[in-house]
Amino acid sequence: MSTPADAQRMEKIVSLCKRRGFIFQSSEIYGGLNGLWDYGPLGVELKRNLKNYWWRVTVHERDDVVGMDGAILTHREVLKASGHVEGFSDPMIDCRTCKAHFRFDQLIEKKGVKQCPNCGGKDLTDARQFNLMFETHVGAAADESSIAYLRPETAQSIFVQFKNSLEVSRKKLPFGIAQIGKAFRNEINPRNFTFRSREFEQMELEYFCRAEEGMKLLEYWKEERLKFYESIGIPREKLHVKTVSDEERAFYSKGTYDIEYDFPFGRQELEGVAYRTDYDLSQHQKASGKSLEYFDEVTKQRFIPHVVEPSAGVDRTVLALICEAYSEDQAPDEKGKMETRVVLHFHPRMAPIKCGIFPLLKNNEGLVAKAKEVVDHLRPHMFVFYDESGAIGRRYRRQDEIGTPFCVTVDFETLGEKDEKLRDTVTLRERDSMKQERIAISDLLAALSVRIA
Ligand code: ATP
């Protein structure tokens, strides 16, 4: 259950996201478009770091996974075969009093009577199915024949391209195809900031295997995915594995786990890990009339592979990273007086900016030139930020608030003015401990690289 303190924490997070340029409401100057968000200068960096790291561990660091990048606009027949045209819907209820629409499971119940969560009204319509897909037309003729959809998940293009990917990669089972990309769902009630959006990104892996390996690989991928979240700074105790019950599970799935995170607004799904059997490939083979079989050269058998799918949300994970990182502590100001410090404790590999670089004074040519040299030295290897304005303490605070794990200060010692031995050394300050160490500029790149890898 979330408490008023959690709600207040969430409010602060949303406000910080806007103030510091992580996430803005989409089309804000026109009043906003509900359920759509734009990522600002820092949000885009955080999101890229997450996607790049997922790609690295899922594709580059494995021999058994290849990548792809499919089109967003999807042929109607693809989504008919997958079951989305017929069944990708939520039960929707309207409140006749305030005219709001809700998903059936969002109604509140008092003394056994369902009520509108908006106005408390009890005059509600019956539930009817509302398809979540966005429909559009491809080409000049806007008729039945030109209907296409914005994909509601990235997975289907992976299935449809299974044969091509298999042939070009010459992989043997088990092997996977990974994709990161946009997905669209016309959610009845977008809510909880970016958690439930109408346009979002997914990181999906379809891991193809033999039928007898399915259940074991489901366990394997659940564990791999938990390790992934820990490796980006989400602690194991805040993650929960929910076994999706027989009633809730898709009829073709033999086992599904939801990996959930304790958001300030409650425990909610970050990712689904599902054993989808051979359902998708079988459906597409049937509907397209094209073989999607795998030929086993050893046993000479032909069969449709089964698949285990870890499907994660980029935006939900970004939100979890921000919620997990947000904290307030006490730290001394310039004069040694304690003040509240807002810090985002991002794991260094996720942090948007890796290192802040400051000359002690902005009106000293030697200091400024040296600091800019350090910027040029580090820039090809990591995203750094140069800041010369304000007292050093304030510059540290600004970086703490956006989660920059390291700051480097160029001072008079760097110029060799106090002690020749300290020439070309800088102070390296660490965000969480606020500890400072003296380090040679020539050692800086190596020292930072291992910490942000
Ligand atoms: P939910 O039950 O929360 O609607 P789902 O079970 O329908 O999610 P999946 O179809 O399994 O979600 O999609 C895989 C992942 O895609 C989810 O775990 C989530 O991270 C992400 N995702 C799905 N819908 C949304 C959305 N509306 N906004 C943001 N991310 C989403």
Side-chain angles (χ1 to χ4, degrees):
M1 275 303 283
S2 46
T3 63
D6 292 325
Q8 201 187 21
R9 180 180 167 81
M10 198 59 216
E11 258 173 49
K12 287 184 183 172
I13 289 169
V14 174
S15 141
L16 176 74
C17 279
K18 178 172 180 190
R19 185 161 43 83
R20 297 309 312 267
F22 283 91
I23 301 169
F24 306 127
Q25 193 186 12
S26 190
S27 309
E28 189 185 4
I29 60 168
Y30 291 100
L33 203 46
N34 197 9
L36 297 161
W37 302 93
D38 295 335
Y39 288 77
L42 293 178
V44 67
E45 298 296 331
L46 179 59
K47 210 178 179 197
R48 272 172 182 261
N49 290 343
L50 170 65
K51 291 191 284 185
N52 290 345
Y53 186 64
W54 184 92
W55 196 260
R56 177 176 132 192
V57 301
T58 312
V59 182
H60 291 178
E61 291 182 0
R62 300 184 66 104
D63 291 323
D64 56 353
V65 177
V66 294
M68 72 164 277
D69 186 21
I72 286 171
L73 289 175
T74 307
H75 198 301
R76 195 183 188 182
E77 297 304 323
V78 170
L79 294 160
K80 262 192 193 166
S82 65
H84 286 85
V85 171
E86 193 57 39
F88 193 61
S89 50
D90 278 343
M92 183 168 77
I93 307 273
D94 303 335
C95 169
R96 290 199 182 91
T97 314
C98 72
K99 312 283 181 235
H101 310 292
F102 295 99
R103 229 166 63 169
F104 183 74
D105 61 0
Q106 287 173 257
L107 296 178
I108 48 171
E109 195 166 324
K110 283 199 183 140
K111 296 188 184 140
V113 181
K114 298 254 187 248
Q115 293 187 1
C116 168
N118 190 34
C119 72
K122 297 182 192 107
D123 189 6
L124 307 170
T125 62
D126 288 339
R128 63 191 185 285
Q129 289 302 319
F130 174 76
N131 195 299
L132 300 180
M133 285 199 297
F134 285 97
E135 192 180 293
T136 186
H137 292 272
V138 172
D143 58 20
E144 267 288 293
S145 67
S146 65
I147 290 178
Y149 297 97
L150 272 64
R151 64 182 178 192
E153 58 179 29
T154 67
Q156 293 308 320
S157 56
I158 299 182
F159 296 129
V160 171
Q161 293 296 358
F162 166 75
K163 208 55 187 256
N164 281 335
S165 302
L166 174 67
E167 275 168 15
V168 297
S169 64
R170 294 162 52 229
K171 294 281 176 210
K172 303 269 175 288
L173 288 181
F175 80 96
I177 305 173
Q179 179 168 207
I180 299 178
K182 291 271 191 181
F184 303 81
R185 298 183 187 177
N186 197 4
E187 298 281 355
I188 299 169
N189 270 138
R191 61 191 171 282
N192 290 329
F193 199 20
T194 56
F195 179 83
R196 189 171 297 286
S197 309
R198 288 181 165 140
E199 172 176 341
F200 53 94
E201 268 184 286
Q202 292 184 313
M203 304 182 282
E204 293 197 299
L205 169 66
E206 302 303 324
Y207 195 76
F208 300 97
C209 62
R210 291 177 172 77
E212 57 275 21
E213 299 165 310
M215 289 311 278
K216 212 173 72 205
L217 284 168
L218 175 67
E219 296 304 312
Y220 168 79
W221 279 109
K222 176 197 60 171
E223 291 304 320
E224 285 298 296
R225 298 302 305 143
L226 288 168
K227 274 189 245 161
F228 175 85
Y229 289 110
E230 286 185 84
S231 72
I232 58 172
I234 299 185
R236 186 66 184 81
E237 62 272 20
K238 300 280 272 297
L239 295 166
H240 306 276
V241 177
K242 179 176 128 187
T243 304
V244 179
S245 66
D246 292 352
E247 301 78 58
E248 284 179 283
R249 216 168 49 220
F251 70 90
Y252 49 78
S253 168
K254 281 203 176 153
T256 302
Y257 293 118
D258 283 349
I259 298 178
E260 299 179 323
Y261 169 72
D262 289 324
F263 285 96
F265 45 83
R267 187 173 294 176
Q268 299 279 354
E269 175 181 332
L270 274 182
E271 163 160 0
V273 186
Y275 172 25
R276 296 171 72 122
T277 65
D278 58 356
Y279 173 78
D280 303 273
L281 288 182
S282 300
Q283 287 294 102
H284 289 303
Q285 173 163 297
K286 224 187 299 163
S288 67
K290 304 276 176 355
S291 166
L292 296 179
E293 285 178 334
Y294 175 85
F295 178 64
D296 188 322
E297 279 159 18
V298 180
T299 63
K300 307 291 177 211
Q301 282 174 314
R302 248 175 231 290
F303 59 93
I304 293 187
H306 280 224
V307 73
V308 173
E309 176 200 74
S311 169
V314 175
D315 309 76
R316 285 189 188 178
T317 308
V318 164
L319 185 58
L321 287 172
I322 296 172
C323 291
E324 187 57 38
Y326 185 89
S327 98
E328 290 172 16
D329 64 13
Q330 295 292 313
D333 69 6
E334 287 295 285
K335 298 190 181 94
K337 206 172 118 236
M338 295 308 268
E339 62 173 5
T340 300
R341 176 176 85 130
V342 173
V343 195
L344 290 179
H345 293 282
F346 288 132
H347 189 295
R349 67 164 56 110
M350 289 295 114
I353 294 169
K354 306 301 180 190
C355 187
I357 297 162
F358 317 143
L360 185 65
L361 301 172
K362 73 169 172 192
N363 51 9
N364 180 294
E365 260 179 45
L367 292 174
V368 168
K370 200 72 191 174
K372 290 194 170 161
E373 245 176 60
V374 177
V375 169
D376 290 340
H377 176 55
L378 294 179
R379 198 168 249 174
H381 308 278
M382 65 191 78
F383 190 36
V384 299
F385 183 76
Y386 173 81
D387 187 5
E388 59 179 24
S389 66
I392 282 289
R394 295 212 51 75
R395 288 184 247 170
Y396 283 148
R397 289 291 178 277
R398 286 201 289 265
Q399 294 306 312
D400 290 342
E401 206 183 37
I402 58 172
T404 306
F406 304 103
C407 288
V408 159
T409 302
V410 170
D411 54 22
F412 291 106
E413 279 151 345
T414 316
L415 304 182
E417 287 186 10
K418 292 199 172 153
D419 177 350
E420 192 50 37
K421 284 207 287 299
L422 294 178
R423 181 184 287 280
D424 285 332
T425 64
V426 288
T427 30
L428 176 63
R429 182 252 197 195
E430 200 269 331
R431 174 196 67 205
D432 296 344
S433 63
M434 294 188 269
K435 284 211 180 94
Q436 304 195 3
E437 60 176 299
R438 198 86 207 162
I439 181 168
I441 293 173
S442 55
D443 293 335
L444 201 52
L445 177 58
L448 290 175
S449 296
V450 291
R451 297 186 215 183
I452 63 173

